[in-house]
Amino acid sequence: MRGIRIIQVGKVRKGFCREALGHYLQKITPYIQVQLVTVKDARNGDRHQKMETEARAILDRLTPQDLLVVLDEQGKAMTSRKFSARLQAWDEDPGRRPCFVVGGAWGLSDTVRSKADQLMGLGPMTLPHELAAVVLLEQIYRAQTILHGHPYHH
């Protein structure tokens, strides 16, 4: 696989989340390159204005190569094995690479959702955005171990 991009809104402020992100990034490295891109969270305006400011920052960082997978509570959840198969299928498209978007505290605007190639859910519960990034990285790691026959997923 050519790699994965993750665009997240806002710095990870919680120490335990920073530690977990580092842990999974280190575990993923032997399998695949993950580029973590952080866009600044909006501080001014109402909720809608903040989400639109963040949307512009996200969309400005996309490339034509990015296959946009937006994490969203309305997105389709899948098993770890199905996610693994999906990553493998995306890898077979030489002109695209998966680019996951994790919204900020206010969520994501319809502007970002409308550009998505896929809306993906991590489950029916709402997660803090910092924790959602950790869960995403753990699932990317798990998917890679499934693809490589490693016993992590048993």
Side-chain angles (χ1 to χ4, degrees):
M1 186 175 275
R2 293 165 308 286
I4 294 173
R5 292 182 75 214
I6 299 172
I7 300 174
Q8 65 179 14
V9 176
K11 291 181 183 178
V12 178
R13 291 179 173 85
K14 293 180 179 85
F16 70 93
C17 286
R18 273 194 314 272
E19 185 177 325
L21 285 171
H23 171 78
Y24 285 111
L25 281 170
Q26 182 179 10
K27 291 180 87 58
I28 291 169
T29 299
Y31 299 105
I32 190 169
Q33 178 188 1
V34 175
Q35 179 189 22
L36 193 57
V37 178
T38 302
V39 298
K40 188 174 180 173
D41 51 342
R43 299 287 183 183
N44 300 319
D46 63 21
R47 176 186 176 145
H48 177 75
Q49 291 167 326
K50 289 177 183 179
M51 289 191 313
E52 287 304 320
T53 298
E54 292 168 358
R56 283 191 300 278
I58 291 165
L59 297 176
D60 285 348
R61 283 162 182 81
L62 295 178
T63 70
Q65 183 183 12
D66 290 329
L67 185 142
L68 189 58
V69 182
V70 173
L71 295 187
D72 186 79
E73 64 186 358
Q74 301 300 316
K76 182 179 179 181
M78 60 188 91
T79 67
S80 296
R81 287 196 181 278
K82 188 160 192 145
F83 180 59
S84 172
R86 183 69 48 93
L87 280 178
Q88 186 173 35
W90 288 332
D91 185 43
E92 293 170 1
D93 183 348
R96 309 286 307 269
R97 89 175 144 201
C99 178
F100 295 90
V101 173
V102 180
W106 300 104
L108 290 166
S109 75
D110 289 337
T111 305
V112 174
R113 279 191 206 92
S114 69
K115 302 282 187 195
D117 293 293
Q118 179 171 345
L119 294 178
M120 187 176 105
L122 295 176
M125 293 182 186
T126 301
L127 298 173
H129 63 285
E130 293 175 326
L131 190 54
V134 171
V135 172
L136 174 62
L137 276 178
E138 190 280 336
Q139 286 299 302
I140 291 170
Y141 171 65
R142 183 176 296 272
Q144 293 304 309
T145 62
I146 290 169
L147 290 171
H148 291 88
H150 187 277
Y152 178 75
H153 181 77
H154 51 312

